[in-house]
Each structure stands twice: as C-alpha cells, then as structure tokens.
C-alpha cells in the first residue's frame, strides 16, 4: 500500500502507475472501473463489498470520500492498493477536503481504466438528482440504494422521477431471490393470476418494487398489506383465475411455498451479503428494462426505458445551498419575533 498525504491528482496517477508496474500481472485485465461515493465511516464496508464483487469482476476501485466542503484550504489524501487485501482489484481511496470535494472528477477522471465501462455506486443516501454529481454523469451504470435514505419508499419514487437507462437500485437486487421463486411458481400454474398481495412494512422499498414488478408483469394492481411485525418483506400471495392460491412466506433464511391442493414446500431464501448484491449488478452493464418497468409501475410513471440514456451535468454547490437555507430560516425566525 502507498499512502500520499496532502498530495495532488498528478502524484496519485504517478504512484498508481508505479504500483502497477511493481505488481506486474496482478494489475492486468481490468473489466471495469468502479467508482464508490461513500462517507468516511463506511469506507471499509465498501471495500469489503467491492472485494467480493471483484472476485467475479476484476476492476479498478476508486473510492471517493468528500469532507468539509466549506473548509478554507483544499486537501487531497490518497491510499493506493494493488492486489493484496482487495484481491484481483486495484484501489485508490481518495479523501477530498474543501472545495476540491465539489470537483472530485478532476482527480477521478485521469484514474479511469481506458476503454472499459464505468460504474458509479453510492454507498449511502442516494443523490436527489444524479445529474448534479459528475461521477454519475460519466458512468455507464449507476447503482443507488434507496434503503439508505431517511424515507426509503419516497427515495425510490425519486429514483423513478430522476431515472435514466443504466440506473439501478440495490433494493431491486435484493428481491432477485423472491422473483426467482415467484416466477418458478408459474411453471405449474394452468390459469392466469387475477390478484396479488404483498405483506411488508410500509417503509420497505423491496416491497414497493415487488409490487411494481407484479403489476408490470401480470397487468394487475397488487395489494400492499402493511405490517409492523417484521422488519422486511414477509409474504407474497397470488390468486389464480380458478380460485387457487399460491403463497410464498419468508421464515428467516427459508421460505414456505403453499399452494391450494398441494403439500407445503420449503425453499431457500437467504439474504445475501452486500458484495454478492453488488456483484450481481456488475454482471450487466446495459439498461435493465425489467427494473425500469417495475420502478415505473411502483411510482406510477410510464415510459422510463424510453428516456435518453445520457445525462448533462447540472452544477450544484451544496455549501451555497446550506447557507441559503440557513439564511431563510434565520429570516423566518426574525420575522416571527418581530
């Protein structure tokens, strides 16, 4: 590992090149560049997930930690790791302070692997608009996690409003096992599905996407039955045109599948590590039309997959926005007291 403190982007590029030369074959064959936007306290968690994903998708990992954008002095610190604890992965962890943090692309762009796709993953609360972050605009694929937001279901709706082909969300990835089991239930179904029910907490974004997926695939309006007894999606029920019911119920890491007239079956339904979820999303680097349909159905917005796949960067200064908001609050307080 090479540590560079109070350095420049130029020095980071040179140090990475030197480390790659010393590592030899370990640093060859990068399939993509993975940019991770993350807070300091979650850097190790993001690295651990990327290490798992890199076992299937060797990549250059560029971790961007932005801090203290109102700081008077700009500063860049960097750690460079090639191979070693991160497996078949090159990593550059950059910590940016001051106004430099608002222009992370000036450091990141020279570090991209030439002629391979770029994926940006926000390991934290997703941005309101991806176009305000140049690291999202430059990416071919963009991964958010609405579960990290204060209101996950509202954040998922915002993902639909802001959607462009190439976007995805880890809430969608988490229902892959559910979708696999539900789709398997249709193998023996002789009649069409007329009703569907999803039992889950009100704030569960996976339930919102499951409901959207069922609506998009079956052209019905699934019912969401809220529950406070379970922390995440508990059950998916389907009713056939002949009256038969198919019910899939989660029990810890297993699921019980019940169908009218048949014996209950127990099936695996394991919650996967974050790295496995990330690896699944890195398998495809084109637009996910099924996700777009499910997201659109969940949010009540149609035609998401027909939107342009490219974004134009929209400059946004969070420091200015915070000062403006503070000024409005102070003015409101003065008016109320006056």
């Amino acid at each position: 590992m090479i540590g560079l403190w109070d350095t420049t982007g130029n020095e980071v590029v040179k140090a990475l090149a030197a480390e790659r030369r010393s590592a030899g074959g370990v640093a060859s064959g990068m399939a993509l560049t993975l940019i991770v936007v993350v807070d300091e306290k979650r850097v190790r968690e993001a690295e651990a997930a990327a290490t798992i994903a890199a076992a299937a998708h060797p990549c250059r990992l560029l971790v961007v930690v932005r801090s203290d954008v109102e700081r008077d002095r700009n500063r860049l610190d960097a750690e460079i790791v090639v191979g070693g604890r991160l497996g078949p992965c090159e990593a550059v962890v950059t910590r940016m302070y001051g106004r430099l943090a608002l222009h992370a692309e000036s450091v990141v762009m020279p570090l991209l692997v030439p002629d391979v796709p770029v994926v940006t993953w926000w390991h934290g609360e997703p941005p309101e608009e991806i176009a305000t972050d140049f690291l999202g605009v430059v990416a071919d694929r963009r991964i958010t996690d609405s579960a990290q937001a204060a209101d996950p279901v509202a954040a998922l709706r915002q993902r639909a409003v802001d959607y462009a082909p190439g976007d995805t969300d880890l809430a969608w990835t988490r229902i892959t096992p559910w979708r696999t089991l539900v789709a398997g239930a249709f193998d023996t179904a002789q009649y069409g599905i007329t009703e569907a029910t999803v039992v889950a907490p009100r704030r569960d974004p996976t339930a919102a996407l499951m409901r959207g997926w069922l609506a998009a695939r079956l052209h019905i309006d699934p019912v969401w039955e809220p529950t406070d007894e379970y922390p995440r999606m508990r059950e998916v029920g389907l009713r056939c045109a002949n009256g038969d019911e198919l019910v899939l119920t989660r029990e810890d890491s297993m699921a019980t599948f019940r169908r009218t007239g048949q014996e209950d079956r127990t099936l695996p339904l394991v919650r996967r590590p974050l790295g496995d979820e990330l690896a699944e999303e890195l398998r495809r680097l084109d637009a996910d039309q099924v996700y777009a349909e499910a997201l659109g159905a969940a949010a009540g917005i149609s035609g998401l997959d027909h939107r342009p796949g490219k974004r134009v960067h929209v400059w946004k200064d969070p420091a200015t926005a915070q000062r403006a908001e503070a000024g409005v609050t102070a003015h409101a307080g003065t008016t109320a007291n006056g």
Side-chain angles (χ1 to χ4, degrees):
M1 185 188 80
I2 297 177
L4 302 172
W5 316 119
D6 198 5
T7 187
T8 64
N10 217 15
E11 291 302 317
V12 174
V13 172
K14 291 178 181 178
L16 176 60
E19 189 70 0
R20 294 187 74 226
R21 284 194 297 270
S22 64
V26 176
S28 64
M30 297 293 103
L32 56 93
T33 299
L34 176 61
I35 303 172
V36 183
V37 182
V38 64
D39 292 334
E40 178 64 50
K41 62 184 178 181
R42 307 188 74 179
V43 169
R44 296 307 175 201
E45 185 179 316
E47 287 184 350
T51 301
I52 295 173
H57 312 281
C59 63
R60 178 173 295 172
L61 174 63
L62 306 179
V63 179
V64 177
V65 183
R66 297 166 167 141
S67 301
D68 197 8
V69 297
E70 295 193 72
R71 183 174 177 173
D72 293 335
R73 182 173 175 270
N74 296 327
R75 175 171 170 146
L76 170 65
D77 296 339
E79 298 176 40
I80 299 171
V81 181
V82 177
R85 62 183 175 86
L86 295 179
C89 178
E90 302 175 355
V92 181
V93 182
T94 58
R95 294 174 172 84
M96 305 179 194
Y97 306 90
R99 303 293 294 179
L100 174 64
L102 301 179
H103 302 279
E105 68 276 5
S106 63
V107 176
V108 171
M109 292 295 286
L111 297 172
L112 300 180
V113 179
D115 303 321
V116 298
V118 177
V119 180
T120 297
W121 168 38
W122 288 267
H123 184 43
E125 185 168 355
E128 188 77 6
E129 294 180 72
I130 289 179
T132 61
D133 190 341
F134 191 87
L135 299 180
V137 175
V138 74
D140 301 284
R141 193 98 159 108
R142 298 158 293 275
I143 304 172
T144 54
D145 189 353
S146 56
Q148 304 289 337
D151 187 339
V153 175
L156 197 62
R157 294 193 196 100
Q158 179 57 30
R159 297 276 55 82
V161 172
D162 188 47
Y163 179 84
D167 292 359
T168 191
D169 194 276
L170 290 180
W172 173 249
T173 320
R174 292 183 186 114
I175 64 170
T176 297
W178 280 93
R179 291 188 292 120
T180 301
L181 294 179
V182 170
F186 289 97
D187 292 344
T188 56
Q190 299 178 351
Y191 298 89
I193 304 299
T194 58
E195 299 177 29
T197 303
V198 177
V199 180
R202 297 178 187 273
R203 293 165 53 84
D204 188 349
T206 62
L209 282 173
M210 173 60 76
R211 184 170 174 266
W213 177 67
L214 292 171
R217 298 288 94 187
L218 302 175
H219 305 291
I220 59 176
D221 186 15
V223 175
W224 186 336
E225 291 188 2
T227 177
D228 295 326
E229 297 181 20
Y230 305 97
R232 55 189 187 275
M233 187 161 55
R234 166 70 171 174
E235 184 175 281
V236 175
L238 305 173
R239 180 181 288 274
C240 301
N242 68 338
D244 285 0
E245 291 188 346
L246 298 81
V247 181
L248 190 66
T249 305
R250 185 204 300 264
E251 298 287 351
D252 295 323
S253 61
M254 304 297 291
T256 301
F257 178 65
R258 303 191 305 276
R259 181 171 180 177
T260 303
Q262 297 184 7
E263 292 187 2
D264 293 354
R265 287 188 291 160
T266 302
L267 304 168
L269 189 60
V270 179
R271 187 169 186 178
R272 298 171 295 169
L274 179 62
D276 287 349
E277 295 171 353
L278 181 61
E280 178 182 327
E281 287 303 331
L282 295 181
R283 288 192 194 112
R284 61 176 304 159
L285 297 171
D286 58 339
D288 188 339
Q289 293 180 337
V290 179
Y291 166 67
E293 291 173 358
L295 180 63
I301 302 174
S302 60
L304 297 189
D305 58 330
H306 298 304
R307 293 182 180 180
K310 299 294 183 180
R311 286 185 169 90
V312 177
H313 183 224
V314 177
W315 168 247
K316 181 180 179 181
D317 187 339
T320 302
Q322 290 171 6
R323 287 195 293 269
E325 183 178 346
V328 169
T329 304
H331 177 69
T334 302
T335 302
N337 293 331

